Amino acid sequence: DGLAPRLAVWNIQTHEKVGTNDFKDLSEAYTLLYSPDGKTLATAHLNGELAIWNANNLRREAVLQTNGSFCRALQFSPDGRWLAAADGLLIRLWKTADWTLEGTLKGHLTGIVSLAFVRDGNLISASRDGSIKLWAIPPPETRTYVEHSIPVADDARWSAGRHALLTVDLAGDTVRVWNLVSLRMSGEQHYELRDANCGAVTDDGRCFTIGHDDGSISLHRLPSESVRQHPVHAKEVVELAFSANGELLASGSSDNTLRLHRVDETGVVE
């Protein structure tokens, strides 16, 4: 909430602030995330601590410790049982039932910058070492973790659905869609002039969208190679996200606007 170490919650329908809470003994927050049921809020702080809040009354319920470096990414599992945090080279996994540390995932060579839970609760992570790893998250009693790697460029950006992964290679101007069941590439698209800034893929992997330098969005459906491009912003598109059912698309731009679009068979509709 500005420069003050404070948590603020807003009603997205009325645009009104509905509650605040000072962090008090916590440092400034870097990342925040709601649980799937909307009852819990997690915040990651610059001193490496994670705070767990009751989303209804903004009371703090727990503080989780990392190695002292701030977590660049947080993710709740779809069923709400797990909270994963990117802690430097490691991924820490907590059980949300009692906030006990369940395990630590090791395998990346440089800092992890993004996390996402995908098919059947598995977890994927992206690192500056140029790899995306897929981790099988087991029942609590198993405590073994299996990983698979997808090679990507060091500066690649990515977006994950429950069954598909989209990677945007900024240097090579190449967009690829990966099937997270077979770990095989299911689609590829090339661009010129390095104008592919970001992307998003639907949960089923059948549709993906790319944000461009000129403020437009291109919509692609697989296995068809048809492309529909739509001008939506005055400046470059920097962030995209599909809703869970793939019918809505949010786009953010450096023109300081956030737009919500409907998606149908004809393309992107304002």
Side-chain angles (χ1 to χ4, degrees), residues 46-186:
L46 294 181
N47 64 355
E49 292 179 326
L50 306 181
I52 307 300
W53 308 82
N54 182 308
N56 293 321
N57 55 29
L58 297 187
R59 291 181 179 175
R60 193 168 67 192
E61 297 184 340
V63 175
L64 312 178
Q65 301 295 329
T66 65
N67 66 2
S69 61
F70 67 87
C71 297
R72 292 186 177 272
L74 294 174
Q75 279 295 324
F76 282 99
S77 61
D79 59 9
R81 293 177 57 199
W82 308 97
L83 174 65
D87 184 12
L89 307 182
L90 309 175
I91 302 170
R92 298 192 187 276
L93 195 66
W94 286 273
K95 291 193 297 184
T96 59
D98 54 10
W99 302 111
T100 56
L101 183 65
E102 176 62 23
T104 301
L105 311 183
K106 303 177 181 179
H108 283 291
L109 302 178
T110 58
I112 299 166
V113 296
S114 192
L115 298 171
F117 278 93
V118 289
R119 59 180 179 90
D120 300 327
N122 289 341
L123 179 70
I124 57 175
S125 58
S127 165
R128 290 194 177 93
D129 62 13
S131 71
I132 292 175
K133 295 186 182 293
L134 175 65
W135 309 85
I137 303 301
E141 62 271 17
T142 306
R143 292 179 181 269
T144 58
Y145 301 91
V146 180
E147 67 167 89
H148 302 277
S149 291
I150 296 174
V152 295
D154 289 347
D155 61 352
R157 299 184 183 181
W158 61 284
S159 172
R162 286 186 60 79
H163 300 278
L165 173 72
L166 180 102
T167 60
V168 182
D169 181 351
L170 300 182
D173 310 318
T174 304
V175 176
R176 296 182 176 91
V177 178
W178 304 82
N179 184 304
L180 288 178
V181 177
S182 64
L183 296 181
R184 296 179 181 274
M185 187 170 62
S186 57

Side-chain angles (χ1 to χ4, degrees), residues 188-248:
E188 185 175 73
Q189 184 73 38
H190 296 274
Y191 295 92
E192 297 179 355
L193 303 177
R194 302 192 178 191
D195 68 344
N197 286 331
C198 57
V201 63
T202 56
D203 277 356
D204 59 13
R206 296 179 180 178
C207 178
F208 69 93
T209 182
I210 300 298
H212 299 275
D213 282 343
D214 61 4
S216 66
I217 294 172
S218 57
L219 190 70
H220 309 252
R221 295 190 183 276
L222 298 175
S224 169
E225 296 182 355
S226 63
V227 178
R228 295 179 181 272
Q229 196 150 344
H230 308 266
V232 293
H233 288 282
K235 294 184 179 180
E236 63 265 32
V237 181
V238 296
E239 194 67 49
L240 293 166
F242 278 106
S243 62
N245 60 12
E247 296 178 358
L248 293 175

